[in-house]
Amino acid sequence: VSTQSTWADEPWENSSKQQEFKAVLFSLCFFHAVVVERKKFGAQGWNRSYPFNPGDLTTCVDVLANYLEDRPKIPWDDLRYVFGEIMYGGHITDDWDRVLCRNYLSYLVTQEVLEGIDLCPGFPSPPPLSYKDYLTYIEETTPGESPVLYGLHPNAEINFRTVQGDTLFRTIHELASSAAGGNANTAAEKVRQTLDEIMSSLPEEHNLQEIAERLEDDRTPGQHVFYQECERLNILVSRMKKSLADLDLGLKGSLSMSGAMQQLFDDINLNKVPESWSDVAYMSMRPLSGWFQNLLERNQQLLNFTIELQLPKVVYISFFFNPNAFLTAIMQTTAMQYNYDLDQMSLVTEVTKKWPDQVDAPAREGAHVFGMYMEGARWDVGGSTVEESKMKELYPKLPVMTIKSLPMSKVDYKDLYPCPVYKTQDRGPGFVTTLHLKTKYPPRRWVIGGVALLLDVVE
């Protein structure tokens, strides 16, 4: 209704092609309402926030009117391009958000709109009406507010409300901690306990020189990635040791509390990962307690590697600082083995029916990987395909995946959904790669549903 109220009777009655104009205009208004409201679902709605506004819609309406008057046939491709790449697309900076926009328009701005389509479940497009009748139709026919209106699963509402609640309680906790000046002793005791726990459990740095000598010069791409991960972990552990040692001396009174030490104190008190650590760490949305436990798990995979310097039977890809590097290593290995050009290689994904403890040996080609969650849908193990989510199952985990590499010319992309992979629930900044998963539905269904794979999830 808000979108329709942008105008009075104009421009509804001005076009000489009333049926075509009103049908496309109504569909365009629905598109505008969806892209504006979809952002409330966070990263599952849009990877990034965009300033879509009524001006985008009015400009598109002017373009529509001019195109209909000047052309004998409706130039559908031109309209979709202007709407999706210039007007609304002019705001979009994320590649996958642009794909989402195109998929909406590929359904809402087509010849079928003239014959009547379901704009969303339970909301068919109306026949040509007057402006007032359109408003009445909207008020009487529009389904109740639900993620389904936007092509999302109802679970998106649960996720949206959960994030709202978490944000509210986190803010209250931070304000309460800031205001509780009289409880300084309690805060100091809490920080001291956490500091001691971290310092006592902090892993030792890896002996990079020894690892390099054992690897020699003929290391494989996979071994090189694991070596780089050891380097990155050493940098993080070194910074943590230094800052924690300084704070320990500050709490004992042996050093004056600097601004950096006070910030570290406040972050530990609030169970937040200090910025000085996250600057050299892996991307994560976890609180400090869960983040540190995850650090120990990541280090354990590296320790296991350093024993024999062989890749594990199942690689926990979610434990990498840079998972892109490992996926590139898979392509490099295949390209070197068969003398292919690296820039012509593509990843091929097979989701198995096994879990890590059921895998007996490394993959003959590529690698067995584990540690991915799906948001917006689920993986049907029995049917080996992407399927609708189950209610209240927000982040179902995928079984072990075998990821191989083939030249793009040899990959059959039919009945595959190009699923984006992200490091965290924040999506956009943490894009990793695209993995093609089997689907019995048109891929557009999953694109509009915001379906993605995530490497790290905080529930």
Side-chain angles (χ1 to χ4, degrees):
V1 174
S2 174
T3 301
Q4 293 283 343
S5 300
T6 303
W7 308 280
D9 288 343
E10 292 187 87
W12 293 90
E13 309 300 336
N14 289 342
S15 176
S16 63
K17 300 178 181 178
Q18 283 288 293
Q19 180 177 355
E20 295 89 342
F21 180 75
K22 288 184 176 181
V24 180
L25 177 53
F26 192 89
S27 185
L28 186 59
C29 289
F30 179 80
F31 167 74
H32 176 80
V34 166
V35 299
V36 169
E37 293 298 321
R38 189 181 169 101
K39 63 184 179 184
K40 74 180 182 181
F41 296 103
Q44 192 177 351
W46 292 103
N47 284 342
R48 303 177 189 274
S49 181
Y50 302 112
F52 299 124
N53 58 76
D56 300 320
L57 178 60
T58 54
T59 304
C60 288
V61 171
D62 291 339
V63 171
L64 171 63
N66 292 334
Y67 273 40
L68 289 183
E69 295 300 322
D70 296 342
R71 313 286 178 88
K73 294 183 178 180
I74 300 177
W76 296 109
D77 290 339
D78 293 350
L79 289 175
R80 285 192 292 268
Y81 181 83
V82 172
F83 299 161
E85 304 295 333
I86 299 176
M87 301 306 175
Y88 288 90
H91 297 294
I92 298 174
T93 57
D94 184 274
D95 290 341
W96 276 100
D97 285 341
R98 194 172 296 279
V99 171
L100 171 62
C101 184
R102 289 173 187 158
N103 274 267
Y104 267 127
L105 291 171
S106 70
Y107 177 71
L108 296 173
V109 183
T110 60
Q111 180 69 31
E112 288 71 23
V113 171
L114 305 182
E115 302 162 8
I117 61 172
D118 282 340
L119 299 174
C120 67
F123 188 52
S125 56
L129 302 171
S130 67
Y131 174 71
K132 291 183 179 179
D133 289 338
Y134 273 124
L135 294 180
T136 302
Y137 178 85
I138 294 170
E139 292 173 353
E140 295 178 351
T141 312
T142 306
E145 179 69 15
S146 163
V148 176
L149 296 180
Y150 310 94
L152 300 167
H153 190 273
N155 282 345
E157 181 78 12
I158 301 174
N159 199 11
F160 164 58
R161 298 299 180 189
T162 302
V163 171
Q164 274 190 325
D166 288 345
T167 302
L168 174 62
F169 285 116
R170 190 184 310 114
T171 303
I172 293 173
H173 177 60
E174 291 179 3
L175 291 174
S177 298
S178 301
N183 294 329
N185 291 335
T186 304
E189 292 170 0
K190 176 182 176 182
V191 171
R192 164 54 64 187
Q193 179 181 356
T194 304
L195 185 149
D196 290 342
E197 290 175 355
I198 293 177
M199 292 188 71
S200 63
S201 304
L202 200 62
E204 294 295 324
E205 295 177 36
H206 296 277
N207 190 331
L208 297 177
Q209 183 175 351
E210 178 193 355
I211 296 174
E213 290 174 353
R214 291 169 60 199
L215 285 173
E216 298 178 343
D217 295 329
D218 57 346
R219 67 183 71 171
T220 66
Q223 290 175 323
H224 187 65
V225 170
F226 269 83
Y227 180 81
Q228 290 178 325
E229 290 292 311
C230 291
E231 288 180 317
R232 291 186 176 95
L233 191 75
N234 279 5
I235 293 172
L236 173 58
V237 169
S238 175
R239 179 167 297 190
M240 291 176 67
K241 282 183 178 179
K242 174 68 168 61
S243 58
L244 289 172
D246 289 346
L247 180 58
D248 182 43
L249 293 174
L251 293 175
K252 293 176 179 177
S254 301
L255 280 179
S256 298
M257 289 287 284
S258 64
M261 293 161 61
Q262 183 61 51
Q263 184 61 54
L264 179 61
F265 179 96
D266 294 339
D267 288 339
I268 293 177
N269 185 40
L270 295 172
N271 199 24
K272 291 171 58 177
V273 179
E275 186 175 343
S276 60
W277 298 357
S278 61
D279 284 345
V280 295
Y282 41 88
M283 188 175 290
S284 176
M285 296 176 63
R286 294 171 180 260
L288 178 59
S289 53
W291 179 89
F292 183 67
Q293 182 60 40
N294 185 246
L295 168 65
L296 298 180
E297 293 171 349
R298 291 167 182 259
N299 183 64
Q300 187 59 51
Q301 177 168 250
L302 297 179
L303 286 175
N304 294 340
F305 164 74
T306 59
I307 295 174
E308 296 182 358
L309 300 181
Q310 296 297 320
L311 271 61
K313 292 183 292 185
V314 178
V315 176
Y316 281 65
I317 194 169
S318 55
F319 288 169
F320 284 125
F321 283 67
N322 183 14
N324 308 63
F326 183 73
L327 296 174
T328 302
I330 293 176
M331 293 191 289
Q332 286 178 321
T333 302
T334 305
M336 292 163 59
Q337 183 176 356
Y338 296 103
N339 198 28
Y340 294 138
D341 292 332
L342 181 59
D343 60 355
Q344 297 300 312
M345 302 301 290
S346 177
L347 294 172
V348 178
T349 308
E350 177 190 349
V351 184
T352 72
K353 298 182 180 181
K354 296 181 178 181
W355 299 95
D357 58 354
Q358 299 172 320
V359 177
D360 300 323
R364 294 181 180 178
E365 289 190 4
H368 296 311
V369 302
F370 184 70
M372 296 193 192
Y373 304 80
M374 184 171 283
E375 183 179 28
R378 65 183 173 89
W379 181 258
D380 179 13
V381 177
S384 296
T385 184
V386 181
E387 190 53 86
E388 285 287 336
S389 296
K390 296 179 180 178
M391 284 301 298
K392 299 183 180 180
E393 192 178 71
L394 303 184
Y395 304 105
K397 205 162 192 174
L398 271 74
V400 172
M401 307 169 70
T402 303
I403 300 182
K404 306 176 184 178
S405 182
L406 286 173
M408 287 183 277
S409 59
K410 295 185 178 182
V411 180
D412 182 7
Y413 294 103
K414 183 181 178 182
D415 297 328
L416 296 179
Y417 165 54
C419 186
V421 183
Y422 300 95
K423 294 179 181 178
T424 70
Q425 290 141 290
D426 266 349
R427 297 202 181 193
F431 176 74
V432 178
T433 189
T434 302
L435 296 180
H436 292 80
L437 304 178
K438 292 182 180 179
T439 174
K440 60 184 179 182
Y441 300 106
R444 180 174 64 201
R445 176 174 182 163
W446 307 123
V447 173
I448 293 178
V451 176
L453 292 175
L454 309 176
L455 297 184
D456 193 31
V457 164
V458 181
E459 298 193 60

